[in-house]
Amino acid sequence: MTHPEILLKQVPLFRSLPLDESRRLAALLQKRTLKKGDVLFRKGDEGTALYMILSGKIKIVRQSRDGDEAILALLTSGDFCGEMSLLDDLPRSADAVAIEETQLYGLNRKDFLVYVLNNETAVRSILGALSRRLRKADDFLEDIFFLNVPARLAKKLIELAESGGFKENPSATIELTVTQRELAGMVGATRESVNKALRTFREKKLISLSGNTLQIHDVDALRKKIR
Ligand code: CMP
């Protein structure tokens, strides 16, 4: 079995800790496994722990009253979540839900505050990650202001492909299992407008759709849509 201090090397937040520090930290962590659909926490909950993802995928979402989802982020191996409410003492800012089986480590609030915030490397990592998130949120705002739905959708499909959201299949097309509802939630558009854009992409043979499986056939042509 792999020791937690070795697994911690997979987590960028703690990658540069010396081994003895990793060992001390590893002793404080609690491992959890979530099944697909399990809720890690809900918006408004009290923040009791920080979570580091070892494998699997977590979506960070805000829900409308009608049950529509705005997907703020998809987090995968090496990412962390739940730090905001520990840092600002406010309730959880969004829901965190597993979209496939996910293994993670939890670090409780007290240990986070005592151990992590007194470790310069970890503080730098957290600040770096928060800055990157803000940049991404700014980029997304810019897209909402200046790009239409087809352009935002093309951009998101390429981003998912590049970040490994797609599985390479034998015919070298890129495949993604995602619902149109989730895509709409990721680009900040209605399901109807995403549906319409997908139909156009399909007619132009840039993609194909079968059930929830979407295949990209022509990444370069998709890229040209981002104008
Ligand atoms: P917290 O507010 O404790 O609970 C929800 C978590 O979702 C939050 O901490 C962050 O870890 C994470 N989160 C919120 N907004 C974003 C975002 N825009 N991008 C990535 N992660 C986010």
Side-chain angles (χ1 to χ4, degrees):
M1 225 177 63
T2 319
H3 292 292
E5 66 265 26
I6 306 292
L7 287 175
L8 273 184
K9 294 282 172 202
Q10 293 172 23
V11 181
L13 185 55
F14 300 122
R15 189 170 285 153
S16 45
L17 289 184
L19 197 61
D20 58 329
E21 290 281 315
S22 286
R23 264 194 203 124
R24 279 204 315 133
L25 181 64
L28 304 172
L29 301 176
Q30 286 126 34
K31 195 165 179 180
R32 278 184 69 176
T33 302
L34 302 178
K35 293 192 298 296
K36 182 178 174 175
D38 280 354
V39 175
L40 181 60
F41 51 73
R42 287 269 183 221
K43 179 173 186 277
D45 287 352
E46 187 191 345
T48 52
L50 164 87
Y51 297 97
M52 289 152 282
I53 301 166
L54 289 175
S55 63
K57 215 168 270 168
I58 296 273
K59 66 177 176 183
I60 302 290
V61 285
R62 291 263 178 110
Q63 313 248 9
S64 77
R65 277 202 203 110
D66 304 331
D68 288 330
E69 286 187 345
I71 300 183
L72 305 179
L74 286 180
L75 306 180
T76 56
S77 160
D79 293 330
F80 62 87
C81 66
E83 78 295 341
M84 283 168 57
S85 53
L86 305 188
L87 293 170
D88 65 12
D89 264 332
L90 291 170
R92 294 293 191 201
S93 59
D95 300 348
V97 182
I99 56 172
E100 57 187 47
E101 183 169 308
T102 298
Q103 291 201 316
L104 32 82
Y105 279 137
L107 179 65
N108 78 40
R109 178 190 191 93
K110 189 166 145 264
D111 293 332
F112 170 80
L113 295 173
V114 172
Y115 183 86
V116 178
L117 294 187
N118 285 310
N119 184 301
E120 195 189 316
T121 311
V123 171
R124 276 175 176 275
S125 262
I126 290 172
L127 291 176
L130 290 177
S131 300
R132 282 191 296 279
R133 266 182 209 170
L134 186 55
R135 279 175 197 276
K136 228 173 150 181
D138 289 347
D139 289 346
F140 183 64
L141 261 187
E142 181 184 328
D143 290 349
I144 291 273
F145 273 101
F146 300 129
L147 295 182
N148 61 20
V149 173
R152 299 209 299 271
L153 182 63
K155 195 170 175 183
K156 180 52 75 179
L157 291 176
I158 292 167
E159 186 191 308
L160 286 168
E162 288 172 348
S163 69
F166 288 91
K167 287 187 208 138
E168 294 285 341
N169 78 4
S171 61
T173 52
I174 11 188
E175 197 176 319
L176 170 72
T177 303
V178 70
T179 64
Q180 291 186 20
R181 182 168 175 255
E182 283 168 334
L183 271 179
M186 285 186 249
V187 299
T190 60
R191 229 182 78 162
E192 291 71 25
S193 51
V194 164
N195 201 298
K196 192 170 152 210
L198 286 173
R199 219 175 317 127
T200 312
F201 291 170
R202 200 165 47 169
E203 282 159 14
K204 294 189 171 155
K205 305 213 177 338
L206 310 186
I207 62 161
S208 61
L209 271 170
S210 151
N212 281 342
T213 300
L214 186 149
Q215 282 191 312
I216 296 183
H217 300 296
D218 193 340
V219 180
D220 292 335
L222 261 191
R223 229 180 274 282
K224 288 195 186 119
K225 298 275 170 202
I226 312 171
R227 296 262 152 86

